Amino acid sequence: MVLWWKQGVDVSVRPWCQYYIDAEIRANGKHWRFSGIYGEPRTELRSKTWDTLRYLRSQDELPWLCAGDFNEVLFQHEQHGGNPRGVSNMVAFGDCLNDCNLSDLGYSGYDYTWNNKREGIDNIQVRLDRGTATTSFLGMFPLTAVEHIATEESDHMALLIKIRDEPPMRASSSPRGFLFEEMWLKYEGSDKMVAKAWENRSTGVRGLEGLWSQLREVSSDIKRWSFETFGSVQAEIKRLRTKLEDARAAARFDGTSQEVKDIEQQLHMIHEREEVMYKHRSRQEWLRASDKNTKFFQNRASHRRRKNTIRGIRCPDGSWCKSNEGMSRLAHDFYQKLYTSEGSSGGQEVLDLMQELVSEEMNSALTVTLSDKEIEETLFQMGPTKAPGPDGLPALFYQRHWAFFREHVC
């Protein structure tokens, strides 16, 4: 095993052996840990690898990236060909990762990383190599991604691990869409602001057309209000923490001052907003905000973001497109072709042979106009913070301000 690094990166190699290299990394103001692993190839001795991982985990609480050839899989579908993997061996690997708080980072590219290079039914391919990381590492680098890279000589593919805390910048001509944040409702003036915007933007047109037109204008007002009132939550937390340190230093000899109490109260309020924000983005409905679950919500939001990020789309010719405009065009063309009718003939002849199962009475019941009560009940049965529609507004917004919308919808 060997470890190389570039100039400008501070690497401190810890004790190492033939099965692992362990190192501390300091770069770009961040401090974390990397371990390269080679798992014991003999099945009967593989427990030594899991014991080694648990030992490495016990050394400290640094954010940890652990990657390499573990010589084991987590699931049967990670092997193609050969005899089925031993269930107990897979369970032991999974238990070890859980004990070490390590999560599989997933991958892009070919499914398997090792190939015995034999022909026909003797060919076996397995995903033996993978990248894993702790929750704290993914909090520091939420968009870390693993790519399988083909090699010419080795029977293993290489792992390219891209460590990112922000998505790569892509030039785009599309403006950023509006997305409603649940944390805005924690601000005591939010309801009055929406009511005022709704009144000022009234067009006098009733029905859905008037509703959509008015909502577009109200969304612009909310977005502007958010920027002026909230700005960046993280930046505000950082500013208040610095201000609190200065206030505590000034009050060192006089005891806790009123200024310290005021700043602490402001921090408490903004941390509540932060928790609500990450809960909304994580889409975890079964946990409540205000239960000190901010770190959990952050990690779930980062996981969703990493999982949902589209880094490229394969073109019909086999090449990869990674530009926003190109991917948008490919998606548009695909679905346009998918839902474009190529024409048909003889359809009525087929329908004439089918037995009618829906009676006129049943059809009348199914096509009856929806009542106002049914519309309202349906709205309030929806998950408040589930994925919003194209307008960026979740069900929560419509539930909260139903009094404004009822006259347009009902």
Side-chain angles (χ1 to χ4, degrees), residues 155-172:
D155 54 1
H156 283 263
M157 299 188 81
L159 299 183
L160 174 60
I161 304 178
K162 301 175 182 178
I163 298 174
R164 296 194 184 113
D165 54 359
E166 292 294 336
M169 296 299 294
R170 294 193 186 111
S172 175

Side-chain angles (χ1 to χ4, degrees), residues 1-2 14-22 34-53 55-56 64 66-71:
M1 299 181 73
V2 62
R14 295 174 159 190
W16 55 276
C17 68
Q18 61 180 328
Y19 294 114
Y20 69 84
I21 293 180
D22 193 29
F34 170 74
S35 299
I37 299 296
Y38 175 62
E40 170 58 53
R42 291 169 292 182
T43 304
E44 66 273 14
L45 298 178
R46 199 156 297 148
S47 61
K48 291 185 176 181
T49 300
W50 314 146
D51 293 339
T52 299
L53 283 172
Y55 166 76
L56 291 173
W64 188 25
C66 182
D69 175 7
F70 291 88
N71 263 315

Side-chain angles (χ1 to χ4, degrees), residues 23-282:
E24 286 185 47
I25 315 292
R26 289 180 175 84
N28 301 321
K30 296 186 177 181
H31 183 198
W32 49 283
R33 179 182 177 193
F34 170 74
S35 299
I37 299 296
Y38 175 62
E40 170 58 53
R42 291 169 292 182
T43 304
E44 66 273 14
L45 298 178
R46 199 156 297 148
S47 61
K48 291 185 176 181
T49 300
W50 314 146
D51 293 339
T52 299
L53 283 172
R54 291 185 176 96
Y55 166 76
L56 291 173
R57 178 69 180 93
S58 69
Q59 297 305 295
D60 56 45
E61 294 297 324
L62 282 174
W64 188 25
L65 172 66
C66 182
D69 175 7
F70 291 88
N71 263 315
E72 190 52 86
V73 301
L74 290 171
F75 307 101
Q76 289 286 0
H77 67 257
E78 294 180 335
Q79 174 171 314
H80 173 75
N83 296 324
R85 308 289 295 194
V87 174
S88 60
N89 296 327
M90 294 187 292
V91 170
F93 183 23
D95 289 344
C96 175
L97 293 183
N98 287 332
D99 292 344
C100 297
N101 189 29
L102 289 169
S103 300
D104 186 6
L105 293 174
Y107 63 92
S108 62
Y110 191 65
D111 289 333
Y112 310 106
T113 64
W114 177 80
N115 189 327
N116 68 355
K117 296 191 175 182
R118 295 180 182 176
E119 300 294 331
I121 61 173
D122 295 325
N123 181 246
I124 301 175
Q125 301 179 50
V126 193
R127 186 191 173 205
L128 298 178
D129 310 80
R130 73 184 68 228
T132 66
T134 58
T135 300
S136 56
F137 182 88
L138 292 175
M140 183 179 289
F141 302 106
L143 295 180
T144 296
V146 178
E147 184 178 353
H148 293 170
I149 304 295
T151 57
E152 296 180 5
E153 302 296 334
S154 175
D155 54 1
H156 283 263
M157 299 188 81
L159 299 183
L160 174 60
I161 304 178
K162 301 175 182 178
I163 298 174
R164 296 194 184 113
D165 54 359
E166 292 294 336
M169 296 299 294
R170 294 193 186 111
S172 175
S173 57
S174 303
R176 184 179 179 181
F178 170 79
L179 284 175
F180 181 83
E181 293 280 6
E182 185 184 358
M183 70 171 182
W184 294 338
L185 301 181
K186 299 289 289 185
Y187 187 76
E188 60 182 12
S190 63
D191 287 340
K192 292 182 179 178
M193 181 277 301
V194 173
K196 183 178 179 181
W198 184 259
E199 182 181 352
N200 292 340
R201 296 295 187 174
S202 177
T203 61
V205 179
R206 293 292 179 261
L208 291 180
E209 182 180 351
L211 175 63
W212 300 141
S213 176
Q214 197 166 344
L215 275 176
R216 281 195 299 270
E217 300 300 326
V218 170
S219 296
S220 298
D221 291 344
I222 295 175
K223 190 174 183 179
R224 182 166 54 253
W225 168 82
S226 171
F227 178 78
E228 294 172 352
T229 305
F230 287 94
S232 168
V233 171
Q234 296 296 335
E236 182 64 9
I237 289 175
K238 184 177 181 180
R239 185 188 71 82
L240 286 174
R241 282 177 175 168
T242 302
K243 189 176 179 181
L244 181 60
E245 290 177 5
D246 294 340
R248 283 175 173 170
R252 191 183 315 168
F253 303 106
D254 302 327
T256 303
S257 68
Q258 186 60 44
E259 182 184 11
V260 171
K261 293 180 180 179
D262 291 343
I263 298 173
E264 287 175 341
Q265 181 63 24
Q266 292 176 52
L267 263 175
H268 176 73
M269 291 175 61
I270 199 166
H271 274 304
E272 283 188 346
R273 294 176 189 168
E274 178 194 33
E275 186 174 25
V276 172
M277 177 181 72
Y278 282 114
K279 175 182 179 294
H280 184 184
R281 294 179 181 180
S282 70

